[in-house]
Amino acid sequence: MARSTKAKLQQKQLREAVDKYIAGQNNGTFNYKQVSHAVGVDQPAHHRAVALYLAELAFDGDIIEVAPGKYKTPQRTVSAEGVFVRRSNGKNSVITDEDGEPLFVAERNSMHALNGDRVRVAVAARVKGKEPEAIVTEIIEKKDQTFIGTLQVDKYFAYLLTDSKYLASDIFIPKGKLKGGKTGDKAIVRITHWPEDAKNPQGEIVDILGKAGENNAEIHAILAEFGLPYKYPEAVEKAAEKIDAGITPEVVAAREDMRDVTTFTIDPKDAKDFDDALSIRTLPNGNYEVGVHIADVTHYVRPDTILDREARSRATSVYLVDRVVPMLPEHLSNGICSLRPDEDKLTFSCIFEMTPAGKVVNSRIARTVTRSNRRFTYEEAQEVIETGKGDYAEEILALDSMAKILRKERYDNGSVEFDRVEVRFDIDENGHPTSVFFKESKDANKLIEEFMLLANKTVAATIGIAPKKKKAKAFVYRVHDQPDPSKLADLATLSRTFGYKLKTTGKPAEINRSINRMLVDVKGKGEENFLSTLAIRSMAKAIYTTTNIGHYGLGFDYYTHFTSPIRRYPDMMVHRLLERYLAGGRSVNVEKLEEQCKHSSDMEQLAANAERASIKYKQVEYMNDRLGQVFSGVISGVTEWGLYVELDENKCEGLVPMRDLADDFYDFDQANYCLVGRKHNNRYRLGDLVQVQVARCNLEKKQLDFVIVDEKHPARSLDTLGEGKAAAKAASEGRKEKKSRQGKGRRKK
């Protein structure tokens, strides 16, 4: 009895300590581990008690579970402002400024706000056991946006069948706003108004992209979906055409003339915008002078001109599966600025004196005039490296030797080595994918990579390391933050189950060397995909900013982007700042520079999303020719709605929907990245090898569906899949009819 009383007293004290901790959290989130640590308990039994108490408080509505196992105190004001998030599945929400947590908004309470609109909401009183809801009371600021879809034109009206995940409704279009659009056209539409009592919004055609299903129309639709331009304004093209190379004797005299030094470019075989070249010559002391020469784009694109404004808005070239959408018009990107062979070019250069052992003795940055002697493809340069024969073999081999030394030093100093395969398609004249190949990084690619990294690092350090007693001037840095500690801890825990030790504390270089060792050790093993995927996901995203925190992934204290101004606006910003500061100019306004950095980071992410979408579209198109075929693959993602599987043969990725895992009822184990069957305890885990059949291909939604096949579940034909679905539907309708009859019987009684 005494022991029971003591246990109850301990439980009461623990709960009081937890209550006290929660009361001081304001809007901060917390989980049971954080709470346990804060109240000073470390036994597993105490952890369980804390976890159960938090779950109890959440059920009673005293705290809010914002994510599985993650809580916060319900300190919302009655009224709040935030950004509206619309979803085609009806699960709308608002992300409030107050705490950044989503609040559910039912469609009837949305005032037809669109995704991204800024709104004011009233927070409804919390119902016990349910998530809080919000009601939109005012649309403060409407976000300018368009929607892409396929037109349907009838006798009296027209509408757009949207492809958007942000809008469930079709958009009605008055006949006078069609701009010549016809049924089956892929079109961009802007919503003009949405009457409060109407189910569907009304809009007008912005542009007709072509017939749905045609390659150009679909690729342009992908660009438009992400708000990226797919053509140049005529005024911008005309401004570019007026620019002349202008390499006059006066211009040359103001620069370092390096046209007599052996210089060449090494690029992909289909490249046209050559923005970097390497030069090399032997110095009298036996060292090498290596020049990293970059197209001097800012000599031609002056600040605040129409060309500069367009480039700043785009911020980056967009590399899609079958084309490049250049940041600068082709007259500049592929012509005037491109370092084509046997043409004099204006360049901005990092010039290094290096020993044959790869040690940098000294360096300088200069504006130069160069002339490329040879344009190499990566394949041609690789052949020279492998055979020791070919044009400029001596120079290429010397550069390759130094690059390998630089690379080894970089990894020794803690750079992370992720070597991921890139998927590419062979495409016919109609844009249809005919085969898949993989882009592999070989010595020639790595040679260029190392010297570009060296130049970028040198430029950043030149400006970032200020003289004593002086403050560093505002500059554009490419930074990469440290990994998420919780993700790194999860990676270490899961690695241990396979026998690998991973450091999670200590100096960044030590942690990265530990990750590299694991990545090397897992090569060719069953767990390679699982652990390498988790390692990548533990990393932060690299961004542009004026606040230098170093580049964690590369292991550099100072890093920027200087080497690709033809295709990246931040590199143009760096060139202009370099010119200003090397001439003794004062620091620029840091707030304005940071705004441009943020815009460039945002546009880079959009471009990456568009590239992935274009690859996904071609993957679905490619696999559409292979419906019903069986492939081996690896589970590349695990979610509550199913498994993502990447095929070994072609790296195409598709979803195995949870509904098609018919052998059991599966629960999502988020902590261990797996689905677990309730009845048979069968597990599908990230990185597992599986056999799948291609079941469905939806080009409009870019969706590829697989079904798992194995000894227990032999490959099912598409007819069988169809029959199964028909049978399931019939059974469902039968159950509904039975319930309906039962209901009628009860009403009669």
Side-chain angles (χ1 to χ4, degrees), residues 212-233:
E214 290 181 352
N215 186 60
N216 270 346
E218 296 297 340
I219 295 298
H220 286 169
I222 287 170
L223 289 165
E225 175 189 349
F226 292 99
L228 297 168
Y230 49 90
K231 58 186 177 183
Y232 265 99

Side-chain angles (χ1 to χ4, degrees), residues 479-481 539-543 605 612:
V479 305
H480 184 229
D481 207 349
M539 294 291 159
K541 282 188 171 68
I543 61 168
Q605 187 60 55
R612 281 194 290 270

Side-chain angles (χ1 to χ4, degrees), residues 6 45 85 317 386 421 592 659-660:
K6 185 178 179 182
V85 179
S317 294
E386 290 177 1
V421 171
K592 185 176 180 181
R659 65 176 180 272
D660 287 342

Side-chain angles (χ1 to χ4, degrees), residues 25 28 103 214 260 310 342 412 559 581 599 653 689 692 706 708 715:
Q25 291 312 295
L103 276 170
E214 290 181 352
D260 61 344
E310 182 71 18
D342 302 318
D412 287 345
Y559 190 65
Y581 296 157
H599 173 70
E653 187 181 60
L689 302 177
V692 294
F706 299 145
I708 298 279

Side-chain angles (χ1 to χ4, degrees), residues 243-511:
I243 293 178
D244 181 78
I247 305 179
T248 63
E250 292 77 17
V251 170
V252 172
R255 293 168 175 259
E256 186 172 340
D257 191 344
M258 298 189 71
R259 289 176 291 181
D260 61 344
V261 183
T262 299
T263 303
F264 44 80
T265 60
I266 305 177
D267 290 280
K269 59 185 176 183
D270 57 351
K272 295 176 182 177
D273 54 343
F274 313 134
D275 51 12
D276 59 80
L278 293 177
S279 71
I280 182 171
R281 62 180 167 188
T282 305
L283 298 173
N285 63 3
N287 288 340
Y288 293 112
E289 180 191 79
V290 178
V292 179
H293 307 289
I294 309 302
D296 194 354
V297 175
T298 56
H299 175 84
Y300 299 103
V301 182
R302 308 308 297 172
D304 293 322
T305 58
I306 187 172
L307 280 168
D308 182 53
R309 288 193 294 272
E310 182 71 18
R312 184 170 61 222
S313 173
R314 292 174 179 243
T316 181
S317 294
V318 184
Y319 290 80
L320 301 180
V321 71
D322 67 338
R323 71 193 68 191
V324 178
V325 182
M327 181 181 75
L328 297 167
E330 289 190 7
H331 178 68
L332 288 171
S333 60
N334 296 353
I336 297 292
C337 296
S338 186
L339 307 184
R340 300 185 297 194
D342 302 318
E343 295 181 13
D344 291 350
K345 294 291 179 178
L346 302 182
T347 43
F348 217 150
S349 307
C350 272
I351 303 161
F352 303 94
E353 181 183 345
M354 301 180 70
T355 68
K359 180 177 175 59
V360 177
V361 177
N362 56 56
S363 64
R364 68 184 191 278
I365 300 170
R367 294 194 114 153
T368 54
V369 185
T370 53
R371 186 180 182 89
S372 174
N373 302 103
R374 173 74 147 84
R375 177 264 203 268
F376 285 94
T377 65
Y378 281 123
E379 292 78 9
E380 290 170 339
Q382 185 64 29
E383 187 175 352
V384 173
I385 292 170
E386 290 177 1
T387 65
K389 299 176 182 179
D391 293 344
Y392 303 105
E394 184 181 343
E395 289 85 352
I396 288 177
L397 291 172
L399 288 168
D400 179 57
S401 174
M402 289 184 282
K404 283 172 177 166
I405 294 168
L406 291 172
R407 189 175 181 83
K408 183 181 182 303
E409 287 179 354
R410 183 159 60 83
Y411 288 129
D412 287 345
N413 291 329
S415 186
V416 185
E417 184 174 10
F418 288 120
D419 202 5
R420 300 290 286 178
V421 171
E422 293 184 41
V423 181
R424 294 290 184 267
F425 291 91
D426 286 317
I427 292 172
D428 65 19
E429 63 276 7
N430 297 316
H432 188 76
T434 56
S435 62
V436 178
F437 65 95
F438 305 132
K439 182 181 174 184
E440 188 180 354
S441 184
K442 295 187 176 181
D443 287 341
N445 306 74
K446 293 171 183 177
L447 183 161
I448 293 297
E449 179 186 16
E450 287 309 317
F451 282 104
M452 296 307 115
L453 291 175
L454 178 62
N456 287 333
K457 180 174 73 168
T458 301
V459 167
T462 298
I463 304 303
I465 301 175
K468 285 185 178 180
K469 297 183 180 179
K470 287 194 176 181
K471 185 180 178 183
K473 294 176 180 177
F475 199 57
V476 175
Y477 296 99
R478 178 72 168 177
V479 305
H480 184 229
D481 207 349
Q482 295 190 16
D484 183 303
S486 61
K487 289 182 180 178
L488 199 59
D490 289 343
L491 175 62
T493 301
L494 291 166
S495 297
R496 278 197 296 273
T497 65
F498 293 98
Y500 305 106
K501 290 184 179 179
L502 196 68
K503 285 183 68 70
T504 57
T505 58
K507 295 179 180 178
E510 295 172 346
I511 295 171

